[in-house]
Amino acid sequence: MRPKSLYWHQFILTAGMVALAMTVLAVSFFALSYNYFLSEKRNTMKKDVVLISELSRDYFGGSDIYGYGDLNFRSLASYVADLSGDDVLICQTNGQVLLTSDDQLVGQSLRLSDNIVEEVMKGQIYSGMTDLNGAYEKRVFIVCMPVVDQYNGQIIGIVAMLSDATDLSEMWRAFTGIFFFTALTVMLTAVVACSVVTARQTKPLQDMSKAARRFAGGNFDQRVTKSGSSDEIDELADSFNAMADSLQRTEMQRREFIANVSHELKTPMTTIGGYTDGILDGTIPPEKANQYLRTISDETKRLSRLVRRMLDISRLQANDVIRDKKRFDICESMRRAIISMEKKITDRGLDVDAEIPDEPVWVLGDPDLITQVVYNLLENAAKFAPSGSTLRLALTTRGGKALVAVQNQGETIPPEELSLLFERFHKSDKSRSEDKDGVGLGLYIVKTILSQHREEIRVTSENGVTTFTFSLTMTK
C-alpha cells in the first residue's frame, strides 16, 4: 500500500492523536501522583516532627544533654522513629547534630546544610531532599522545624526527620508500571481498532478509485460494495453506484442513439444514392426519371426533417427552460397548435373536438415550447387515428395544475410498449408501415420539454382509445 494513501494518513493521524493523549495523560498522572504521595509523606512527617519538637523542648532546656537524660531521649526518639519508619535528628541551632536514631550515623560528625539552618532559624518548617553533606549515598527526604522555648519564644534547637526516598520511589515506580501497562494495552487496542476502522472506511474509496479508472476506459459495469455501517461512506457508495447506473444507461442510450441515427440516415441515403446512380447511368429509363426524382425529393425532405429534429433536441438539452419561464395563456397555445395542424387533420379526414375554456388559463413556462408539445401530440394522434374519427383536445384544472389531454381512436397500444413511446427513434410497427414521414423523435422532444419544465406526462391506451395527458403549473 502506498505510504501516502488515505489509509496511512488517517491511521497515522488517529494513532498520533491517541499517542499524544496518552502522553499528556501520563505526564499529568506522574506529576499528580508523585506530588500527591510526596505531599502525603510531607504532612505525615510534619505531624511527627511537631511531636518530637514538643518532647525535645525540655531536653534542650536541661544542662546535662549528654547525661542520663540523653539516653532516655534517645530511646524515646528511637521509639518514635520505629512507629513512623523514619529517622530522627536533634540538632543545635547551628545545625550540628546532637542525637540521631539512625544507628549507622551514631558517632559521626553530622551537620545540616546552611540553607536548611537558615530557613528553619526564620521559624519556618523546611522540607526537601538532602544527602546530609555526604552522610547518605542517596538523597533522602527531610522535614525540619525549630524547637522554641515556651517561656521566652527563642529558638533553642532544631528537630529533623529523615525518610528514605526508596519507598516513595518504589511506590511511584509500581504505579508507573501499572500505568504503562494500561497505556500500552490501550494503545495497542486503539491501533488495532483504528487500523480496522480505517481499512473499512478507505476500502469503498479505493473501490471508487478503481471503478472511476474503469469508467475512464469505457467499462461501466463496476460497482462499489458498501461496508454495511450505514454512515456517510455508505451514502457516498450509494451515490457512486447510482452515478454508475446513470452513466451506464447514458452510454447505452448513446450507443443506441448512434445506431438509430445510422439506421435512419442509411435508408434514405441508400435510396437517394441508388436512384441517382440509376438515372445517371441509364438503368432507370428517362420516362420514369420524374417518378424516382420525386422519391429522391421525399427522402431528402425526410433527411432534412431528421436533422432538424436532432438540432431541436440539441437546442433543448442546452437550454435552461426554468430560467426562461414566464406567464402565458395555455388556451391560446392550444388554439395555435390546432390551426397549425388544420391542413394535416383535413387531409386525413379527421374531426377535432376542442374542449378549451373561453377564459384564459394562466400557466408558467415557455409558450413556444409548450405550443410545440401540443402540436407534436396532435401530430402523433393524427398519424394513428383512422379516417373519419375524431381527435379530442381538452383542458381541465385540478389542484393548481392545468391538465392538457390529447386523445385519438385507433389500435390499442400494448402495455409493454407504453413505457417506450418517449424513447428516441421509437416507432411502432404500424407507424413504420403506414407513416414514412415520422422519424421517431416527436414524443422524445415532448418528454424533454416537459422534463425541463419539471412537469409530467402520462399515457393510457384502452379499448382502442389512446390518451396523452401532461400538466402545467398554474399562476394568477
Side-chain angles (χ1 to χ4, degrees):
M1 189 174 294
R2 300 189 305 273
K4 292 185 178 180
S5 67
L6 180 61
Y7 171 85
W8 284 110
H9 281 209
Q10 187 170 353
F11 176 80
I12 292 174
L13 177 61
T14 305
M17 292 297 293
V18 173
L20 178 61
M22 295 304 297
T23 301
V24 173
L25 182 61
V27 172
S28 303
F29 172 79
F30 295 153
L32 291 175
S33 61
Y34 184 79
N35 290 334
Y36 173 77
F37 290 126
L38 195 62
S39 176
E40 287 294 312
K41 187 65 175 177
R42 182 187 296 112
N43 292 336
T44 302
M45 293 178 66
K46 282 183 178 180
K47 294 178 182 178
D48 293 337
V49 80
V50 169
L51 176 60
I52 296 296
S53 175
E54 294 291 337
L55 295 175
S56 63
R57 183 181 294 117
D58 295 336
Y59 291 94
F60 275 106
S63 59
D64 187 12
I65 191 86
Y66 298 104
Y68 180 74
D70 175 59
L71 295 177
N72 287 338
F73 187 72
R74 180 188 295 276
S75 299
L76 180 60
S78 298
Y79 177 72
V80 174
D82 291 338
L83 289 179
S84 62
D86 301 324
D87 292 317
V88 178
L89 296 179
I90 306 299
C91 311
Q92 293 178 335
T93 54
N94 61 358
Q96 185 68 39
V97 178
L98 301 177
L99 184 67
T100 177
S101 62
D102 189 349
D103 296 334
Q104 297 180 359
L105 301 180
V106 175
Q108 299 184 27
S109 177
L110 304 176
R111 183 183 177 86
L112 298 177
S113 59
D114 293 337
N115 63 317
I116 297 176
V117 173
E118 181 180 353
E119 185 168 348
V120 173
M121 291 304 293
K122 295 178 182 179
Q124 300 178 0
I125 298 178
Y126 173 85
S127 62
M129 303 294 294
T130 182
D131 61 356
L132 206 59
N133 294 321
Y136 291 98
E137 295 180 0
K138 298 181 179 179
R139 290 164 63 86
V140 295
F141 189 69
I142 185 172
V143 175
C144 305
M145 74 172 296
V147 179
V148 181
D149 189 284
Q150 59 182 343
Y151 298 109
N152 56 25
Q154 293 183 351
I155 298 176
I156 57 176
I158 298 176
V159 177
M161 294 197 72
L162 302 173
S163 177
D164 190 357
T166 303
D167 295 338
L168 185 62
S169 299
E170 289 179 355
M171 184 180 297
W172 187 71
R173 290 192 188 97
F175 277 98
T176 302
I178 295 174
F179 178 85
F180 271 116
F181 176 78
T182 305
L184 182 61
T185 303
V186 172
M187 281 289 294
L188 291 177
T189 304
V191 167
V192 173
C194 174
S195 178
V196 173
V197 172
T198 304
R200 289 185 62 185
Q201 290 179 340
T202 56
K203 186 179 184 304
L205 299 179
Q206 294 171 351
D207 293 342
M208 292 179 199
S209 177
K210 294 178 182 178
R213 286 194 290 270
R214 293 187 179 183
F215 290 170
N219 182 3
F220 298 98
D221 296 330
Q222 184 72 22
R223 295 296 182 271
V224 177
T225 303
K226 298 193 296 183
S227 63
S229 57
S230 300
D231 54 11
E232 289 82 356
I233 299 295
D234 276 359
E235 292 181 5
L236 179 60
D238 287 335
S239 300
F240 187 90
N241 289 336
M243 180 194 69
D245 293 337
S246 177
L247 288 174
Q248 191 172 41
R249 287 193 300 269
T250 302
E251 176 63 15
M252 293 177 62
Q253 291 173 356
R254 184 187 68 83
R255 294 177 181 178
E256 181 182 358
F257 179 77
I258 293 175
N260 290 334
V261 169
S262 300
H263 174 76
E264 295 293 336
L265 291 176
K266 180 177 66 175
T267 301
M269 291 179 66
T270 301
T271 301
I272 293 171
Y275 288 167
T276 303
D277 291 340
I279 293 174
L280 291 175
D281 61 18
T283 303
I284 297 176
E287 61 273 13
K288 294 185 178 181
N290 289 337
Q291 174 187 349
Y292 288 102
L293 285 175
R294 280 194 296 271
T295 301
I296 292 174
S297 176
D298 291 341
E299 292 298 326
T300 302
K301 292 177 181 177
R302 185 165 178 263
L303 277 176
S304 177
R305 286 193 298 272
L306 174 61
V307 173
R308 187 169 60 252
R309 287 297 180 96
M310 292 174 62
L311 290 175
D312 289 341
I313 292 174
S314 177
R315 179 178 60 84
L316 287 172
Q317 292 175 340
N319 187 30
D320 187 0
V321 175
I322 303 300
R323 186 181 57 189
D324 298 332
K325 274 187 175 183
K326 60 184 179 181
R327 180 174 177 265
F328 70 97
D329 181 14
I330 181 60
C331 299
E332 182 64 25
S333 296
M334 295 170 67
R335 296 187 187 99
R336 286 204 306 266
I338 293 177
I339 294 173
S340 300
M341 278 290 299
E342 183 177 2
K343 184 176 185 305
K344 289 186 177 182
I345 292 174
T346 302
D347 292 343
R348 292 180 180 271
L350 302 174
D351 293 328
V352 176
D353 180 13
E355 300 177 9
I356 304 175
D358 294 332
E359 298 295 328
V361 177
W362 301 103
V363 295
L364 284 176
D366 187 311
D368 293 334
L369 293 180
I370 296 302
T371 301
Q372 183 176 356
V373 167
V374 179
Y375 181 90
N376 286 5
L377 291 176
L378 283 173
E379 185 181 38
N380 181 77
K383 285 191 299 184
F384 292 95
S387 178
S389 63
T390 301
L391 301 181
R392 178 173 176 268
L393 178 62
L395 174 63
T396 58
T397 59
R398 184 172 65 246
K401 291 286 187 177
L403 303 178
V404 180
V406 178
Q407 187 179 87
N408 70 279
Q409 300 173 0
E411 295 292 332
T412 301
I413 303 174
E416 63 274 10
E417 192 176 347
L418 290 177
S419 60
L420 304 176
L421 293 179
F422 300 100
E423 297 291 333
R424 286 174 293 194
F425 296 107
H426 176 77
K427 295 190 293 184
S428 67
D429 293 337
K430 183 176 178 60
S431 175
R432 288 187 183 274
S433 60
E434 294 186 6
D435 190 291
K436 298 299 183 180
D437 292 338
V439 294
L441 292 175
L443 293 181
Y444 176 76
I445 291 175
V446 167
K447 181 69 173 179
T448 301
I449 292 174
L450 292 176
S451 295
Q452 290 192 336
H453 280 76
R454 297 180 181 175
E455 301 291 351
E456 296 182 352
I457 183 170
R458 295 182 293 106
V459 57
T460 60
S461 185
E462 297 177 349
N463 302 321
V465 178
T466 300
T467 305
F468 288 84
T469 304
F470 69 91
S471 63
L472 290 172
T473 301
M474 296 176 60
T475 183
K476 295 181 179 180

